[in-house]
Every structure is written in structure tokens, then in C-alpha cells.
Amino acid sequence: MILDLLKDCKLCPRNCNINRNEKSGFCGAGEKISVALVSLHKWEEPCLVGDNGAGTIFFSHCNLKCVYCQNFKISSEGYGKEISIERLAEIFLEQQQRGAANIELVTPTHYVPQICMALDIAKSHGLNIPIVYNTNSYENLSTLELLKNRVDIFLPDLKYFDDEIAKTFSNAPNYFQVATSAIQKMFELVGENKFDSSGMMTRGVIVRHLVLPNFRRDSFKILDWLNKNFGDKIFISLMNQYTPLFRAGEFKKINRRLTTFEYDSVTNYAVDIGIKNCYIQIGKTADEKFVPNFDGNGVVVR
């Protein structure tokens, strides 16, 4: 049974090998699913939003420890409400009834067995909108394989090229090697991007990269790798919304917002090397007002 994977947890590269029925591992998650917010989110890439927004479900806890995490209330502090697998399936269907463009699973890695079961239940009751897997990409390939024929769109981060940066800011050894292998696996599972007649994505991969202050040259290397390995077969989303939240004040190099020069130099580099399928952000998005209000809305039956 798929839930047996929780008894000796190796869902992510931390490979904690602990029984999550008895205690939590590095990520902080135990046996029960914990969800902090269910919402219709309109601040995603245009092909994921539509008229009503992406049907986001924000899961509590995380297998990275990013010192600048804007969602630290749920990723590090663990805010959320525990629900059953059956209730999660109901939430999927409720999001569809609200007119969500898709079901977007945000930071889902540590709950993949439960999510798979909930998706199977919901699909047997009529769930038919695309399933989006929004991940930091610190993934084990065996976990991603469980998502075959369950997830339609992968929305992975590719945060760092330099592993010293990854260790400093996310406590993630070998991040680039792990994340790039994971992204290649995601592409293998869903293939090239597909869109419906209204321009909404129905299948494919969008790789997000948040440009950090003082590290634009690391961003160049990430763009080189993506372009070399995928060309126009995927989309890239370059984000300028970095805001020094959580513990960022402890680290001088990232204790400020991104400059216009830094972001423009990265987007210009993408153009210079021939990248065509790329979303960029225009205007000032580095603001706490863009951080969701994690209040448990939509999680439990009212």
C-alpha cells in the first residue's frame, strides 16, 4: 500500500528513514496531511490562472529550510490544519466547483502518498481539471514516479546552480544535481507543453527561478543549463519578487530587495542566449502584500 512509504520515509533526498506514523522527520510533517490555505490564486503565470485563478492548496511543512522563505509561517513554523485523505479529495472537487483553472499542489513532496490516494478518489468522482505540482525540486525520482498519470503540469523551482549557495540559504546539499535530475524526470513524465484553445496550459513543465540579490551570475548558469537541456520544449518563469523575509536579515548579501539592474541583466541574458518561452515579471512585485494570508480558509467544512 502506498501509505507504507511513510513507515520508512525516503520521499525526498533527506532520506530520514523514520516512521512518520510515530514522529516527524526533517520536513516536520507526520502521518496526517496538514493544509494551511485553500484559495483561488490569481498571481501565478497567466497560462495557469484563467478567469478565476489557480486552485491552490498550500501544504504545511517543507523539506527545504530557505532562510528567506516568504511562506515561513507554514514551511518552518508549521501552521496548518490536519485533514483526512477523504477530506483532501473533497477539497479538490470543491476547487473545481469554484471554477479553478486547475488544482495546484503547493509544496506537496512530503505528502505524495496521501495526495495520490486523494487524487484517485477525486478523479473517480469527476475531477477533470489539470493537476499542477508546485515544488522546490528537492525530490527523489522514485517519489516523482508515483505521480505518473496523476499530475499533468509540473511547476518546479530551480533555485541555485552553486551548491555552496544552496547549503547556505536552504540547507540543501547537492541541490543542483538533485533538482536538475528531478526536472528531467518531470519532463519525461509529462512531455512538451500543451495548451487548450483559450491559451491555458493542460500539460507540460514551467521552471521557476527567483533571482536573488548579488547572485545574478548564478542565474545565468541556470539559464544556460535549461536552454541547453530543453530549449523551447519547456517554459521558464523568471521572478523578481524576492523580499527579505524570515531570517534574511542574518545574511548581508540577501538582506535587500533585487535591483532593476540585476533583474534586467538576467532577463536580457535569457534573450541573448535565445530563450523564447519565458515569463518575466513587470513592475514592483517584491512586497509582503503578495504573500498569501495563511488563515486556514477553505480547509475544513464550514
Side-chain angles (χ1 to χ4, degrees):
M1 186 178 178
I2 196 168
L3 290 182
D4 288 341
L5 294 172
L6 300 178
K7 295 179 181 179
D8 181 26
C9 191
K10 296 187 286 286
L11 290 174
C12 86
R14 304 291 178 185
N15 294 316
C16 293
N17 297 102
I18 54 99
N19 185 345
R20 282 181 39 197
N21 299 321
E22 298 175 354
K23 61 181 181 179
S24 60
F26 181 94
C27 68
E31 173 189 11
K32 293 279 189 178
I33 307 161
S34 183
V35 175
L37 177 66
V38 175
S39 64
L40 293 177
H41 196 59
K42 295 191 175 183
W43 300 108
E44 305 294 62
E45 288 74 10
C47 66
L48 299 178
V49 172
D51 293 332
N52 298 318
T56 47
I57 297 156
F58 289 86
F59 293 94
S60 308
H61 307 295
C62 184
N63 67 339
L64 289 190
K65 298 301 176 189
C66 300
V67 298
Y68 52 84
C69 181
Q70 69 172 19
N71 296 345
F72 65 89
K73 182 177 179 181
I74 65 173
S75 62
S76 292
E77 297 179 358
Y79 172 80
K81 297 182 179 181
E82 290 188 345
I83 59 172
S84 67
I85 291 169
E86 292 75 18
R87 175 60 191 141
L88 183 59
E90 290 175 354
I91 288 172
F92 294 157
L93 292 168
E94 289 166 4
Q95 288 288 69
Q96 179 169 278
Q97 291 165 2
R98 293 184 185 109
N102 46 58
I103 300 297
E104 184 178 340
L105 310 166
V106 185
T107 319
T109 307
H110 41 291
Y111 295 121
V112 162
Q114 301 98 313
I115 287 170
C116 287
M117 292 183 67
L119 284 172
D120 292 348
I121 294 169
K123 288 183 178 185
S124 73
H125 286 83
L127 181 67
N128 57 20
I129 55 178
I131 308 302
V132 181
Y133 190 83
N134 180 340
T135 171
N136 57 41
S137 299
Y138 208 52
E139 300 272 3
N140 277 345
L141 302 187
S142 56
T143 301
L144 293 174
E145 185 65 32
L146 297 172
L147 303 172
K148 185 176 183 179
N149 299 323
R150 289 186 170 109
V151 165
D152 305 290
I153 299 167
F154 284 98
L155 185 59
D157 292 335
L158 188 50
K159 293 179 178 291
Y160 317 103
F161 181 91
D162 187 322
D163 280 328
E164 286 304 312
I165 304 173
K167 285 187 284 187
T168 299
F169 297 141
S170 295
N171 192 10
N174 301 317
Y175 175 84
F176 184 77
Q177 178 183 348
V178 169
T180 51
S181 294
I183 291 169
Q184 288 172 319
K185 179 65 174 180
M186 295 172 201
F187 182 77
E188 174 190 318
L189 291 174
V190 297
E192 295 186 34
N193 297 332
K194 295 181 180 179
F195 301 85
D196 66 17
S197 58
S198 66
M200 298 299 295
M201 181 175 280
T202 58
R203 197 165 183 84
V205 178
I206 303 175
V207 178
R208 286 177 167 176
H209 174 64
L210 176 65
V211 183
L212 295 176
N214 285 305
F215 291 104
R216 62 192 179 92
R217 296 191 184 281
D218 200 67
S219 298
F220 295 167
K221 294 174 183 177
I222 284 171
L223 290 173
D224 284 336
W225 185 88
L226 289 170
N227 193 41
K228 177 182 177 181
N229 285 274
F230 298 106
D232 296 333
K233 295 177 181 178
I234 64 167
F235 267 71
I236 298 169
S237 182
L238 291 173
M239 301 184 293
N240 69 353
Q241 66 197 50
Y242 175 80
T243 308
L245 297 171
F246 193 34
R247 295 177 50 220
E250 301 172 24
F251 300 84
K252 184 177 179 179
K253 283 193 172 183
I254 60 170
N255 190 26
R256 64 168 173 83
R257 288 182 168 86
L258 196 67
T259 66
T260 300
F261 166 77
E262 286 172 315
Y263 184 66
D264 286 352
S265 68
V266 175
T267 59
N268 290 337
Y269 187 81
V271 173
D272 290 344
I273 64 174
I275 291 175
K276 298 176 181 177
N277 295 334
C278 184
Y279 289 109
I280 64 172
Q281 291 180 315
I282 298 173
K284 296 186 181 298
T285 61
D287 195 302
E288 292 185 44
K289 71 180 181 182
F290 293 107
V291 179
N293 179 22
F294 298 113
D295 59 2
N297 183 57
V299 179
V300 296
V301 179
R302 298 295 180 186

